[in-house]
Amino acid sequence: MYQFTLEILFKIIGIGSASGLLLNNDSLFIISDNSTFLYEYSIAKKEYTKIKLLENSQENIPKKQKLDFESITQKGKALYIFGSGAKPKRERQIIYNLKNQKTEEKDLTLFYQKLKSSASISDKEMNIEGAVFYKNDLILFQRGNGDGAKNGIFIYDTKKETSQYKAIVLPKLKTVDATFTDAVLVDDTIYFLASAEDSKSTYKDGEILGSLIGSINTKTWSVNFTKQITETQKFEGLAFYKNSKESIEFLLCEDNDTEELQSNIYKLVLKKQ
């Protein structure tokens, strides 16, 4: 069983509802599910800049109107940001070019519809919370916190433009199944976060029952391990930080489901067996 330590590394005032993290050199990129800005935080300078993802970017967008950006990943010199897909307005992708700082918006309605059909997932159950590029595949993590409990991964071949869905059942935290909240690729292994929330809705929040970390084997798409890391917090963002012979480290963020403009960034250290 993995041993771990979890601590607050720093606090960022001015960013609320953090839902995804990505570390690129000294820059920690942060997305928020109720904002249409991308935040670039300099760890060395301890300050951040706001990057407009849309022409009229906003913060603290009301729940019914938000675009619900939940996933961020990197391929080459571009960052890919995905909406959750839980509603039509949440079926968007933003691509941010790190080299020229330009953004491109894409409508994912048809793409998400094909994914939903392939896995028999209803419109209201679609809830993409994590994204990872691995070789030719785009791996999307479906959080199964709806009535149908459809928790799993979409494996989309970007060259053949074909997809497959694999259901993944995670341990219960208290009486509720943990479901995916984010993922990151480290070498040939995918590490993921999952949390349990006492609600059968992808829209309504419920009592938080804890979060866990685990990993997936990219050859078999099976779960290698899971480890509960908190009984009270809902961690939604996961970024790779450091790797050594003794341990692997990640940065985490939590969505406290409030309008408070503060984000706590945690460091999770997993000791290797």
Side-chain angles (χ1 to χ4, degrees):
M1 189 65 69
Y2 281 87
Q3 293 182 320
F4 73 94
T5 59
L6 179 66
E7 61 179 339
I8 293 180
L9 193 60
F10 49 81
K11 297 182 180 181
I12 306 175
I13 306 299
I15 304 174
S17 299
S19 57
L21 299 176
L22 188 144
L23 185 64
N24 183 278
N25 298 320
D26 177 63
S27 292
L28 182 64
F29 289 93
I30 304 167
I31 54 172
S32 166
D33 64 15
N34 67 357
S35 171
T36 48
F37 284 99
L38 172 65
Y39 304 92
E40 182 177 1
Y41 180 80
S42 170
I43 295 176
K45 296 179 180 178
K46 298 181 180 180
E47 59 185 29
Y48 70 88
T49 56
K50 295 195 292 187
I51 300 164
K52 283 187 175 184
L53 296 177
L54 301 173
E55 185 176 348
N56 297 312
S57 285
Q58 297 174 280
E59 295 175 295
N60 264 341
I61 301 170
K63 192 167 188 174
K64 290 183 179 181
Q65 300 173 17
K66 69 181 186 179
L67 302 188
D68 205 29
F69 291 133
E70 293 282 0
S71 312
I72 181 170
T73 190
Q74 183 173 355
K75 184 178 182 181
K77 293 295 183 181
L79 304 184
Y80 290 75
I81 299 164
F82 295 83
S84 66
K87 288 186 174 185
K89 66 178 59 179
R90 300 177 179 184
E91 296 174 330
R92 299 192 195 183
Q93 178 192 70
I94 304 294
I95 303 171
Y96 175 68
N97 190 307
L98 291 167
K99 191 173 182 179
N100 61 21
Q101 289 82 52
K102 292 183 178 180
T103 60
E104 177 186 359
E105 181 182 1
K106 288 189 175 182
D107 185 343
L108 296 183
T109 301
L110 294 179
F111 176 62
Y112 276 3
Q113 192 61 53
K114 289 180 181 179
L115 296 183
K116 286 183 281 188
S117 297
S118 70
S120 299
I121 292 176
S122 66
D123 291 343
K124 68 178 182 179
E125 286 187 290
M126 189 69 163
N127 196 8
I128 301 300
E129 294 268 344
V132 168
F133 283 103
Y134 178 66
K135 296 183 177 179
N136 293 330
D137 294 331
L138 168 63
I139 317 300
L140 295 175
F141 286 73
Q142 158 70 16
R143 186 180 181 201
N145 61 330
D147 288 333
K150 292 276 190 174
N151 191 77
I153 55 175
F154 293 101
I155 307 164
Y156 178 74
D157 189 314
T158 59
K159 288 192 173 181
K160 297 179 181 178
E161 297 186 349
T162 58
S163 66
Q164 59 175 306
Y165 174 76
K166 181 173 178 57
I168 295 180
V169 178
L170 298 174
K172 292 183 182 293
L173 300 182
K174 295 183 181 178
T175 59
V176 178
D177 288 335
T179 52
F180 291 128
T181 56
D182 205 2
V184 67
L185 179 69
V186 182
D187 298 324
D188 289 322
T189 300
I190 294 175
Y191 289 84
F192 64 84
L193 287 175
S195 66
E197 197 169 358
D198 196 5
S199 172
K200 290 295 184 180
S201 170
T202 60
Y203 183 76
K204 296 180 180 179
D205 300 320
E207 179 188 359
I208 297 170
L209 305 176
S211 299
L212 59 80
I213 192 169
S215 74
I216 289 177
N217 185 311
T218 51
K219 292 182 179 180
T220 62
W221 303 113
S222 58
V223 175
N224 295 321
F225 83 97
T226 60
K227 176 69 175 179
Q228 186 168 357
I229 55 175
T230 176
E231 295 183 353
T232 59
Q233 292 166 284
K234 177 185 174 185
F235 287 113
E236 288 207 2
L238 179 69
F240 171 67
Y241 190 41
K242 295 178 182 178
N243 202 355
S244 69
K245 291 182 179 180
E246 295 77 24
S247 64
I248 184 168
E249 301 180 21
F250 300 93
L251 300 182
L252 281 63
C253 67
E254 61 179 325
D255 184 357
N256 52 17
D257 292 321
T258 71
E259 295 183 359
E260 182 183 12
L261 293 179
Q262 175 178 303
S263 293
N264 296 329
I265 306 300
Y266 294 78
K267 181 174 75 171
L268 172 68
V269 180
L270 286 179
K271 293 184 179 179
K272 294 181 179 178
Q273 295 176 311

